[in-house]
Amino acid sequence: IKRGGHWRIIARDKTRAPQHLFVGDYDCPVAGSALAPPYQWDLEVRPADASQIYNEIAIRYYKHPATGEHLKASVASGMYRLTGTCSTWAGTSYLIDTSATFVTNGVAARAVDIDGDPVTPGERVYVQGDQTYEVVAVVNETTLELEPLTGLGVATLSARTYWLGPSIHGDALLSQLAFKTVNALGGARQATIREDGGYKTDFVYDDATADLMRDYWLDWAAVPRDRISFPLFHRGIRLEEGDAFLFDHPGLFAHRRAVSLTTIAEDIDTSETAWDLAVGGVALCNVNDYLWVQSSAGGEPEAVKVTSLDAVNNRINVTRAQLGTRALAHSLGDAVKAAPVKWICTGLRPPTPDSPTIRVEAEMMPAQTRLVGRVVANGTPSWASATVAQRFYGGWASYGNGRVSDLQSESTLSYVGPSRGVY
C-alpha cells in the first residue's frame, strides 16, 4: 500500500482460493427497469491505469545493525546487456548463439562452494516465447548451459531472440517491451546497490524471502489487468476486501466469460455427490476444481468442488453447495461451467437509501502461468506422470511457459489440461 509517497507492506489472513461465486444474470441488478426495456447491465469494465503497471523493482534488505545500511538487494528488471538470436536444446540444456562472444563479454555463471551449493547466482536469460533461465556454466564463446528458474525444463527451440543480464526477469522484460517505458516500484530507479533507490525493508534478512517478495510484486503489477465495478444484492453480504471470487456476467469480454466444459448425463437431486457427465467430460475436470451449474438462464447457480475423478464411468465426485451457494436439483443436459480467471475484491460500498445495493470494486488476479496443454488422456495426467508422447501431443513440449504471444501474458491460459482450474 502506498501512503505518503512510501510503500508499506501489510499482511492479511487471506487465501488466493476463491471464496464466492457471483453470476451476473442472477446476482447483479440492471441499470433501469427490467420490466420496461431497454435496460442495460450495471457493470463497468476498465483496464488498469498504465501508471500503476510496475515493471522494475529493487528490494533492499538485510539492514546492518550498526550502520543502518541495507547490505543486500534483490533486483528484477527488463534491462539487458546482451541480446541475439539463439537455439536451445532440451537434451543438453544448452543455449547456442553462433554469433555470440560470451567468454569475451564476461557472462557470469553461477558460483558454487565446495559442497556444490550456490554462492552467487549466474546471469539471467529470457528466451522469446519461453521463460527465464539462469546461466550455470559458460561452455565456450557461443554456448551457455542453462537452468530454468521455474523447473519446467529447457525447451528445444530455434531462431529465438534472447536477452541476457544480471537481473533479467521475464515479466519485467515483456512489460518494458510492451510499454516502451520503465516504471519502477518504490520510487527512484536504482542503477547500483549503493544508490539510495528501490524499496527498503528492515524486516527481510534472507535471500529467498526477498526474491519471493520481488516476484510477488511483478506477478501482480507488471502486466495490465482488467478492473470491474458492479452491484450485488443479498449474496454479496459476506464479501470482504481481499476476498478472491469467481464471476460470470453477460457484460464481460468474451474471453473473461465462463466456459461450458461439459454437460450432466443424469438428473441430480440436492444430495447426490457422484455426478455422471457426458462422455469425455471427466477429462476436462481436475481434482479441486470449482465448477458450477446454472440450470436456466437467470436461474440460481450452484457451485461444487471436485474431490475425485472416475474416468472409466465418466463420473466426478463433488462437494456440494460451495462458494456461498446452496445445493440445488439439476437436470440431464445442464451445462457444467468453469471460470477462466479469478477476481479479487479491492473495494466495497455499503448500501445507502439512494442506492440499496452493495457496490463491488475488483480486479483480475494474476494469470496462471504454469504450463498448460491439451487433454490427451483420461484423468488429465500431471506433467510429472505424463509420458513423453502425452507431453508432446498435449502441447507441453513447446514453450517452457506456454506463451503463444510474448507480449500477451494471458496467452499462457488454457481452459483444459492438468493446470486448468488449480488454485
Side-chain angles (χ1 to χ4, degrees), residues 261 284-286 289 291 338-339 372 414-423:
L261 296 180
L284 302 178
C285 302
N286 298 282
D289 273 1
L291 310 174
V372 180
S414 171
Y415 299 137
V416 298
S419 292
R420 186 209 54 76
V422 177
Y423 298 97

Side-chain angles (χ1 to χ4, degrees), residues 5 22 33 69 73 89 94 100 106 116 185 189 212 221 231 251 289 357 369 387 394 398 411:
F22 304 117
S33 172
E69 292 289 334
W89 301 98
Y94 284 167
L185 177 68
R189 293 184 60 204
L212 285 172
D289 273 1
T357 60
T369 54
T387 66
S398 56
S411 65

Side-chain angles (χ1 to χ4, degrees), residues 340-352:
V341 297
K342 290 182 295 181
W343 303 85
I344 184 170
C345 178
T346 56
L348 287 170
R349 188 202 66 192
T352 66

Side-chain angles (χ1 to χ4, degrees), residues 54-406:
Y54 303 102
N55 51 26
E56 181 169 284
I57 181 171
I59 297 177
R60 298 177 63 191
Y61 62 103
Y62 198 81
K63 188 174 183 179
H64 193 286
T67 66
E69 292 289 334
H70 294 87
L71 303 180
K72 295 184 178 182
S74 180
V75 181
S77 172
M79 307 301 287
Y80 57 90
R81 69 185 190 91
L82 296 176
T83 186
T85 302
C86 73
S87 298
T88 59
W89 301 98
T92 52
S93 300
Y94 284 167
L95 178 151
I96 300 173
D97 176 2
T98 56
S99 301
T101 53
F102 293 133
V103 176
T104 302
N105 287 325
V107 174
R110 177 194 297 166
V112 298
D113 59 21
I114 192 172
D115 297 319
D117 297 323
V119 177
T120 57
E123 291 192 76
R124 305 296 171 87
V125 181
Y126 181 81
V127 179
Q128 180 186 31
D130 191 9
Q131 62 173 307
T132 308
Y133 297 97
E134 181 181 352
V135 178
V136 296
V138 180
V139 179
N140 52 46
E141 287 280 23
T142 61
T143 305
L144 301 176
E145 184 179 352
L146 305 179
E147 183 173 295
L149 295 184
T150 56
L152 291 174
V154 178
T156 298
L157 302 171
S158 62
R160 299 288 177 179
T161 302
Y162 69 91
W163 297 266
L164 182 149
S167 304
I168 281 283
H169 189 288
D171 286 343
L173 171 70
L174 297 179
S175 182
Q176 291 179 21
L177 291 175
F179 295 101
K180 309 299 182 185
T181 186
V182 177
N183 192 9
L185 177 68
R189 293 184 60 204
Q190 182 180 12
T192 68
I193 292 178
R194 293 186 178 278
E195 288 188 357
D196 189 17
Y199 169 74
K200 302 175 184 177
T201 173
D202 300 340
F203 305 105
V204 176
Y205 280 81
D206 63 286
D207 300 338
T209 301
D211 291 346
L212 285 172
M213 284 179 58
R214 177 201 67 198
D215 293 343
Y216 170 87
W217 278 114
L218 287 176
D219 188 30
W220 280 82
V223 296
R225 57 216 178 271
D226 286 348
R227 294 181 175 178
I228 57 176
S229 173
F230 59 93
L232 286 175
F233 280 138
H234 65 283
R235 287 214 321 129
I237 203 71
R238 295 187 182 91
L239 184 65
E240 298 177 347
E241 287 189 48
D243 283 358
F245 61 87
L246 303 181
F247 182 61
D248 185 40
H249 194 290
L252 288 175
F253 294 121
H255 61 293
R256 305 277 189 245
R257 294 291 317 269
V259 179
S260 294
L261 296 180
T262 184
T263 58
I264 299 174
E266 60 171 337
D267 291 336
I268 302 291
D269 61 26
T270 57
S271 60
E272 187 172 354
T273 58
W275 289 16
D276 291 343
L277 303 181
V279 175
V282 174
L284 302 178
C285 302
N286 298 282
V287 174
N288 295 325
D289 273 1
Y290 286 98
L291 310 174
W292 76 84
V293 179
Q294 190 178 14
S295 296
S296 61
E300 184 177 358
E302 180 194 357
V304 299
K305 185 175 183 179
V306 179
T307 57
S308 64
L309 306 174
D310 181 356
V312 174
N313 295 302
N314 295 310
R315 184 175 297 143
I316 59 174
N317 291 292
V318 300
T319 302
R320 304 290 301 268
Q322 298 292 291
L323 306 182
T325 65
R326 63 180 181 136
L328 302 168
H330 307 293
S331 303
L332 169 71
D334 284 349
V336 178
K337 299 181 179 181
V341 297
K342 290 182 295 181
W343 303 85
I344 184 170
C345 178
T346 56
L348 287 170
R349 188 202 66 192
T352 66
D354 294 330
S355 181
T357 60
I358 302 166
R359 192 77 190 180
V360 180
E361 294 278 347
E363 71 176 47
M364 192 172 65
M365 297 181 71
Q368 298 285 336
T369 54
R370 288 171 294 179
L371 192 58
V372 180
R374 297 180 298 277
V375 170
V376 295
N378 285 338
T380 57
S382 66
W383 166 267
S385 62
T387 66
V388 174
Q390 288 171 350
R391 293 176 183 178
F392 179 79
Y393 289 112
W396 283 324
S398 56
Y399 299 162
N401 64 0
R403 247 190 185 115
V404 177
S405 169
D406 246 336

